Amino acid sequence: MLDKNGIAKRIAKEVKNGYYVNLGIGIPTLVANFVRDDIEVEFQSENGVLGMGPFPFEGEEDADIINAGKQTITTLPGASFFDSATSFSMIRGKHVDLTILGAMEVAENGDIANWKIPGKMVKGMGGAMDLVASAENIIVAMMHTNRAGASKLLKRCSLPLTGVGCVKKIVTNLAVVEVTDKGFKLLERAPGVSVDDIKNATEGHLIIEGDIPEMDV
């Protein structure tokens, strides 16, 4: 089973040379820490940063340099800063190659709910609305179940949707799952996790073909 860093490390393998990548709040922000050193990647944050680096070491933080989740970050040589209008022009103009988001629920048809739990105070949907509407390659980083043990990979989302039919792949603490037109397709399982463990933790239709390899993380 993976922890949050393990999920981020596995997702980092999906990042290719030359990609422009948007990292959502939560687990996705950890991905920048695990990208290979031999490739060039530009990480974009919707608050107006292009060229984010790993998180700073303790004592080296600069409170003026933050990501969309208000966490202090580092920037790489050549990084640039700009206003939200320019940032969302990049997103809406489809100039981002890969979007990595957290989620509270994902449905087997690729619907995502990641912005609101009814009855709880929220500031708004934020940039996720633009990201899921504009991005062509969306990977979700999430825990497979909630704290009560209920599945978060569902037949249909029960929470208010952020986007419809947009998620391509999900990496959880248990598995790597691809979203297909026939449901969730199991691609990899986390170390120490069996196929039955994943089946029992998945409410939506799970497609299992042949031997499922263990993740290399």
Side-chain angles (χ1 to χ4, degrees), residues 66-86:
I66 60 172
N67 61 21
K70 300 182 177 61
Q71 297 168 302
T72 54
I73 56 171
T74 62
T75 54
L76 301 176
S80 57
F81 302 90
F82 35 84
D83 61 18
S84 290
T86 302

Side-chain angles (χ1 to χ4, degrees), residues 5 9 99 122 125 169 172 191:
N5 282 298
K9 189 175 182 181
T99 296
V122 294
M125 190 178 289
K169 188 176 287 185
T172 76

Side-chain angles (χ1 to χ4, degrees), residues 11-170:
I11 291 176
K13 294 178 180 292
E14 303 287 327
V15 179
K16 309 299 182 187
N17 186 49
Y19 265 18
Y20 288 82
V21 182
N22 179 281
L23 300 177
I25 296 169
I27 297 174
T29 61
L30 300 171
V31 173
N33 295 335
F34 299 105
V35 173
R36 286 166 30 204
D37 293 332
D38 62 337
I39 63 174
E40 292 188 8
V41 179
E42 296 287 347
F43 286 107
Q44 193 250 20
S45 184
E46 64 209 49
N47 58 315
V49 185
L50 186 65
M52 288 193 300
F55 283 119
F57 292 109
E58 187 174 353
E60 298 180 4
E61 303 93 339
D62 183 338
D64 291 326
I65 304 178
I66 60 172
N67 61 21
K70 300 182 177 61
Q71 297 168 302
T72 54
I73 56 171
T74 62
T75 54
L76 301 176
S80 57
F81 302 90
F82 35 84
D83 61 18
S84 290
T86 302
S87 178
F88 281 93
S89 292
M90 294 178 183
I91 294 167
R92 295 172 185 175
K94 300 183 183 294
H95 301 295
V96 176
D97 298 296
L98 173 63
T99 296
I100 304 169
L101 297 172
M104 292 178 278
E105 295 177 347
V106 177
E108 62 186 36
N109 67 340
D111 293 353
I112 180 173
N114 78 340
W115 75 281
K116 184 177 183 179
I117 298 175
K120 292 196 174 182
M121 180 73 72
V122 294
K123 294 180 180 179
M125 190 178 289
M129 172 177 62
D130 298 86
L131 289 163
V132 299
S134 304
E136 296 181 355
N137 188 9
I138 297 175
I139 297 177
V140 168
M142 65 190 293
M143 294 298 171
H144 211 100
T145 59
N146 62 25
R147 292 177 182 176
S151 179
K152 296 167 69 173
L153 278 66
L154 309 174
K155 291 182 171 63
R156 291 289 179 268
C157 292
S158 62
L159 297 172
L161 295 182
T162 312
V164 176
C166 56
V167 175
K168 304 301 184 195
K169 188 176 287 185
I170 308 159

Side-chain angles (χ1 to χ4, degrees), residues 165-184:
C166 56
V167 175
K168 304 301 184 195
K169 188 176 287 185
I170 308 159
V171 180
T172 76
N173 55 321
L174 302 183
V176 178
V177 176
E178 181 183 3
V179 177
T180 74
D181 56 4
K182 295 181 180 179
F184 297 122

